Amino acid sequence: MTERLKLAVITTSVRDGRFGPVVTEWFTDQADHHGGFDVTTIDLAEVDLPHELPAAPPLFEPHPVRPAGMAEFTRVIGEADAIVLVVPEYNRGYPSSIKAAIDWHFTEWAGKAIGFVGYSGGSGGLLAIEGLRQVFNELDAHTVREYVSFPRYYLLFDENGKLHAPEEPAAAAATMLDRVHWWASALTAARSVPTVV
């Protein structure tokens, strides 16, 4: 039987009229169907994320005074074994909301498996994903190679948020979730080993 791990799925867009919650709902269904995870969803539109950061970075001060409205987000990502970001692409990059969420934390990301579900016009969010891979590498997190991408997402989903042709995205999600689970299992075990400096 597959070991059940804690997976946090984050809707990163806070833009008015955003499509992110539709993609998150679809992916959460895939993760539930996978059977290897206890899934928690987080919507950054509901998190207090000021862009003014503490004077000392979380690398040096792991528990800065954070807004009360950030507490649940901090708890969920801290307890998660793995994290999947549902991310759009804005101007060839990722939303500032997820960068603020990342920068308010450090140890909560370290040693975690990170996956991505991207969506946008032409590229399907791939440029946003590539930018975030660099950021998470600096945080000592592991981003899995596999991903799910929805180029021209507005043509792929119907008015009820259902995919017109769900087979290929579902297969991509299953493959990514398998890899996220494998890496999260390995990294969870590795985090119990004291770090040698």
Side-chain angles (χ1 to χ4, degrees):
M1 182 170 147
T2 302
E3 177 190 4
R4 292 182 71 86
L5 301 174
K6 293 180 180 179
L7 173 66
V9 180
I10 304 175
T11 305
T12 65
S13 173
V14 299
R15 173 177 276 178
D16 185 37
R18 68 216 167 109
F19 194 75
V22 174
V23 183
T24 297
E25 182 176 357
W26 172 85
F27 181 75
T28 301
D29 287 344
Q30 305 304 306
D32 287 336
H33 179 72
H34 181 272
F37 300 97
D38 293 321
V39 183
T40 301
T41 58
I42 308 170
D43 188 339
L44 291 188
E46 299 171 0
V47 178
D48 186 2
L49 285 174
H51 288 249
E52 298 82 6
L53 299 172
L59 170 62
F60 302 116
E61 176 47 67
H63 305 290
V65 176
R66 297 184 176 104
M70 196 185 294
E72 180 67 4
F73 175 80
T74 301
R75 182 191 68 79
V76 169
I77 63 170
E79 294 178 358
D81 300 304
I83 299 159
V84 170
L85 277 61
V86 177
V87 60
E89 184 179 308
Y90 295 163
N91 301 318
R92 301 178 68 85
Y94 44 82
S96 62
S97 49
I98 185 56
K99 190 59 163 63
I102 290 169
D103 290 344
W104 270 99
H105 303 84
F106 187 86
T107 56
E108 291 82 5
W109 307 110
K112 304 288 179 73
I114 311 289
F116 300 101
V117 179
Y119 65 98
S120 72
S123 80
L126 297 186
L127 296 174
I129 291 170
E130 287 308 305
L132 285 166
R133 288 189 192 281
Q134 297 179 55
V135 174
F136 280 111
N137 182 61
E138 177 65 18
L139 297 172
D140 204 23
H142 177 78
T143 62
V144 302
R145 176 180 180 274
E146 294 76 10
Y147 57 87
V148 182
S149 175
F150 292 107
R152 296 182 176 83
Y153 63 89
Y154 41 83
L155 301 178
L156 304 179
F157 289 81
D158 67 19
E159 64 277 7
N160 298 312
K162 304 299 182 185
L163 284 165
H164 295 295
E167 293 80 10
E168 186 174 340
T175 298
M176 184 185 75
L177 285 162
D178 283 345
R179 294 301 289 166
V180 167
H181 193 280
W182 189 92
W183 274 105
S185 298
L187 291 168
T188 297
R191 288 197 305 275
S192 67
V193 178
T195 302
V196 177
V197 180

